[in-house]
């Protein structure tokens, strides 16, 4: 039986607000991502890392927040393994978890896998960008170049799920979760949130904005009859220039100003809950007291989502002739 490895990859947000864990995470993000897309002087890196770690430590502690990303990712790995076995049980699928900016790093995990067994790396992000899939592609390319003696079996970084497929999954998820909470109808607005990006980044990069906007539009089309209004919003930072509009706080204000008092909030731009989907959303929602809010989870380990990922992996494997 052919053995094939699958590696689910996320940023690797620390589960707790512990200062040292947040500092190491912030430092790795600055070196491995931020500095690659923005011209930050080397002398400023320690100051920024210390500031970010201190801010997250204080905020998470004050809000009594713990990130669910790690247990969710592990649950996704278990569910995906079961889906792969159900769809293509003639291959020996081994599903692993690695992180971009926290141990175990993707390169560390790749070092442990047999060189003669193929590996599919699955970045667990919604849209392809310099901040998502490109990180894994760059990491794998560098790792392959330094791999002693080469590697007879390939390491492939999969693209994100097809946009229409993800919109289908998200719309069905929202419809089901909202109905279970009695949150649908003309009196309800739906706010779709995603991570924002600079409109004019300092270096020419793929920001993923266009793909994210298309997915939002796809979800809105599918759910237009279930809500009185569908409003996109962006979870933006504040530095570096002009960001995507409207930011989430403004999106919520627009909904309230339009007369809506009941809102379903869905962070569609993420495949798993984390500090941005939960904590940043909580803070933004708290800033608009006129609204009664139902805050939906991300797709997380939903069987339909993992089934779609499994189909993508099986198709990739069969196209390569390595899993019949």
């Amino acid at each position: 039986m052919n053995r094939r490895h699958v590696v689910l990859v996320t940023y690797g947000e620390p589960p707790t607000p512990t200062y040292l864990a947040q500092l190491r995470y912030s430092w790795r993000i600055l070196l491995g991502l931020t500095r690659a897309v923005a011209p930050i002087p080397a002398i400023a890196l320690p100051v920024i890392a210390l500031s970010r770690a201190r801010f997250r430590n204080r905020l998470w502690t004050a809000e009594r927040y713990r990130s669910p990303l790690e247990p969710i990712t592990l649950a996704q790995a278990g569910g995906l393994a079961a889906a792969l076995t159900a769809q293509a049980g003639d291959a020996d699928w081994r599903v692993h978890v690695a992180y971009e900016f926290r141990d175990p790093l993707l390169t560390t995990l790749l070092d442990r896998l047999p060189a003669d067994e193929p590996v599919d790396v699955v970045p667990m992000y919604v849209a392809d960008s310099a901040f998502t899939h490109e990180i894994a592609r760059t990491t794998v390319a560098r790792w392959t170049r330094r791999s002693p003696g080469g590697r007879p079996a390939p390491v492939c970084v999969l693209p994100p799920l097809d946009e229409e497929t993800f919109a289908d999954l998200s719309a069905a998820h929202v419809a089901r979760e909202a109905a279970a909470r009695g949150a649908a109808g003309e009196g309800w607005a739906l706010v779709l949130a995603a991570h924002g990006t600079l409109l004019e980044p300092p270096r020419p990069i793929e920001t993923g904005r266009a793909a994210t906007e298309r997915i939002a539009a796809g979800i809105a089309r599918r759910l237009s009859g279930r809500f009185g209004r569908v409003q996109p919003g962006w979870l933006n930072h504040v530095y570096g220039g002009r960001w995507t509009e409207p930011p989430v706080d403004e999106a919520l204000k627009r909904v309230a100003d339009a007369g809506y008092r009941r809102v379903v909030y869905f962070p569609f731009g993420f495949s798993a809950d984390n500090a941005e989907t939960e904590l940043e959303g909580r803070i933004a929602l708290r800033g608009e007291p006129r609204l009664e809010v139902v805050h939906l989870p991300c797709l997380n380990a939903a069987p339909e989502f993992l089934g779609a990922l499994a189909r993508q992996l099986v198709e990739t494997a069969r196209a390569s002739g390595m899993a019949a």
Side-chain angles (χ1 to χ4, degrees):
M1 181 181 290
N2 294 321
R3 178 174 294 170
R4 194 173 186 98
H5 297 272
V6 177
V7 183
L8 304 189
V9 182
T10 72
Y11 275 21
E13 181 175 81
T16 71
T18 306
Y19 179 76
L20 289 178
Q22 295 291 347
L23 177 60
R24 188 172 190 183
Y25 179 67
S26 298
W27 179 254
R28 283 178 167 176
I29 285 182
L30 282 168
L31 293 180
L33 174 59
T34 312
R35 205 178 183 204
V37 299
I40 300 175
I43 194 171
L45 294 178
V47 176
I48 297 172
L50 288 165
S51 176
R52 284 184 178 178
R54 185 178 301 111
F55 173 77
R56 289 169 69 92
N57 169 259
R58 289 177 176 174
L59 178 63
W60 287 28
T61 300
E63 294 283 343
R64 298 181 180 179
Y65 183 73
R66 300 292 185 272
S67 172
L69 182 58
E70 183 175 295
I72 288 173
T73 306
L74 292 172
Q76 288 174 328
L80 181 59
L84 285 166
T85 299
Q87 293 188 30
D90 49 354
D92 181 12
W93 298 95
R94 302 294 176 92
V95 182
H96 314 268
V97 169
Y99 304 112
E100 315 267 23
F101 307 115
R102 208 178 115 233
D103 298 329
L105 296 171
L106 175 56
T107 51
T108 303
L109 181 60
L110 292 175
D111 284 339
R112 297 173 184 165
L113 300 180
D116 59 347
E117 296 174 358
V119 179
D120 293 310
V121 177
V122 183
M124 297 297 284
Y125 314 116
V126 175
D128 197 333
S129 75
F131 312 104
T132 58
H133 293 67
E134 188 59 27
I135 303 173
R137 284 193 289 264
T138 300
T139 298
V140 168
R142 289 174 177 167
W143 177 83
T144 301
R145 285 195 295 270
R146 72 168 176 77
S147 182
R151 193 177 197 279
V155 177
C156 171
V157 178
L158 266 66
L161 284 175
D162 172 77
E163 293 170 12
E164 290 298 310
T165 298
F166 194 82
D168 276 338
L169 293 166
S170 297
H173 175 75
V174 170
R176 180 177 58 250
E177 295 292 325
R181 294 163 173 79
E186 284 298 315
W188 287 82
L190 171 65
V191 172
L192 297 172
H195 195 294
T197 186
L198 284 169
L199 297 180
E200 296 180 357
R203 292 174 180 166
I205 57 172
E206 173 55 68
T207 64
R209 177 173 65 87
T212 306
E213 288 177 337
R214 288 192 296 268
I215 293 170
I219 297 171
R221 285 195 307 272
R222 290 161 171 81
L223 294 173
S224 60
R226 290 180 175 267
F227 298 94
R229 177 184 178 122
V230 180
Q231 173 67 59
W234 299 90
L235 293 159
N236 290 334
H237 298 303
V238 296
Y239 301 111
R242 184 182 167 208
W243 285 72
T244 37
E245 298 174 349
V248 163
D249 57 348
E250 175 61 26
L252 293 167
K253 182 177 183 300
R254 290 184 187 182
V255 166
D257 288 347
Y260 289 92
R261 294 296 177 264
R262 296 184 295 178
V263 168
V264 171
Y265 177 87
F266 177 56
F268 80 98
F270 306 82
S271 64
D273 278 303
N274 57 73
E276 287 174 306
T277 70
E278 292 190 331
L279 182 54
E280 291 186 27
R282 177 199 305 173
I283 293 171
L285 293 166
R286 200 161 59 206
E288 186 45 82
R290 291 178 289 175
L291 298 175
E292 170 194 341
V293 180
V294 172
H295 190 156
L296 298 186
C298 292
L299 290 175
N300 293 333
E304 300 87 352
F305 173 49
L306 300 180
L309 283 179
R311 284 190 294 276
Q312 183 188 32
L313 284 159
V314 171
E315 289 168 3
T316 300
R318 287 178 174 161
S320 69
M322 293 183 182

